[in-house]
Amino acid sequence: MAQIYNRVALIGLGLIASSMAHAMKADGLAGHIAGHAKTPETRETALSIGFCDTVHATSAEAVVGADLVVLCVPVGAMGEVAAEIGPYLMPGATVTDVGSVKQSVIDAVAPHLPPDVHFIPGHPIAGTEHSGPRSGFAGLFRNRWWLLTPVPGADLVATARLRALCEAMGANVDEMDAPHHDLVLAVTSHTPHLIAYTMVGVADDLRRVTDSEVIKYSAAGFRDFTRIAASDPTMWRDVFLHNKDATLDILGRFTEELFALQRAIRLGDGAHLHAYFTRTRAIRRGIIEAGQDTAAPDFGRAVNSAAPDGAKPRQ
Ligand code: NAP
């Protein structure tokens, strides 16, 4: 594939940045990849793995001469990084980010960027529960959505070029405005994460069931919760602090529904429970039809895919 940017600067070198770098290197999408992360350990790891051509002790040095700068730090760090790099950005460069929340990132970053730079916020809907420079892989974005949230008046040529990069890394690209993005993600990602964190916390607190029993007998539902609840604490703290309104809105609705289900259980209202679960099953079917998961049993796990809940994996 043809080169899309001459020099890409990745600020933050964790899961998303390293996956982008591997994907760009695999297809020659960037002439040079420069990187910066906060700690020397991460910078050295990035160099030793080889997904960056150069790493720099400061974000300001990393962005010099870059025609694309990608902010890949936790949402709460975006503003301070933008303030550091603002004076060093090349005129005409594009700045994007991969933060899981969009409006607060726009509010924090935009004031620090010079007017001759194109700021096109973005969010790849792709990830794993792993973090850090060793966790990235080139295929992370394949067949996943990458949402761009350009502000009104954003440069169309710069937006099309960034879109071309995301597509070349395997993603499908959609555009929407930032507040809508934050509401959609509160439903599809942020609130489910909070529920998973809560459920794993409840199991940990419940002294009548020992930790070893929780681990030994964990069925598919709980195992999936533990996987989600193993996600990076810094990233998720920042997501909730910065997508406060939408998350609280969805959480309020969730709590109402939960109380309705609780009441149905208490009253023995099987018809309510059955109708509810029938409706939710159709949503799962929709996700499979949209190609966002497989219909394989046990949530598509390669190992243990034929085993019933709670059974040991086959050797
Ligand atoms: P990660 O693996 O934890 O990596 C974060 C990186 O940011 C680390 O390299 C860290 O450096 C660096 N960093 C933190 N503060 C910094 C600062 N002030 N200056 C320079 N570097 C700094 O995180 P990630 O999973 O790649 O997530 C990065 C962003 O992508 C977040 O905004 C997140 O919301 C978004 N996102 C994540 C996922 C996901 O599933 N993980 C999916 C989509 C979008 P050190 O290692 O040196 O501390």
Side-chain angles (χ1 to χ4, degrees), residues 102-115:
K102 294 279 51 89
Q103 189 59 57
S104 78
V105 170
I106 293 172
D107 294 344
V109 170
H112 300 291
L113 304 184

Side-chain angles (χ1 to χ4, degrees), residues 11-17 36-40 42 72-75 77-78 80-81 84 98-101 123-128 130-133 135 232 235 239:
I11 310 301
L13 296 173
L15 169 70
I16 301 295
H36 164 74
K38 196 165 55 174
T39 62
T42 298
C72 304
V73 298
V75 166
M78 296 280 181
E80 75 184 64
V81 170
E84 285 161 16
V98 296
S100 306
V101 180
H123 177 203
I125 315 290
T128 73
H130 302 295
S131 53
S135 56
D232 186 68
M235 169 187 158
V239 165

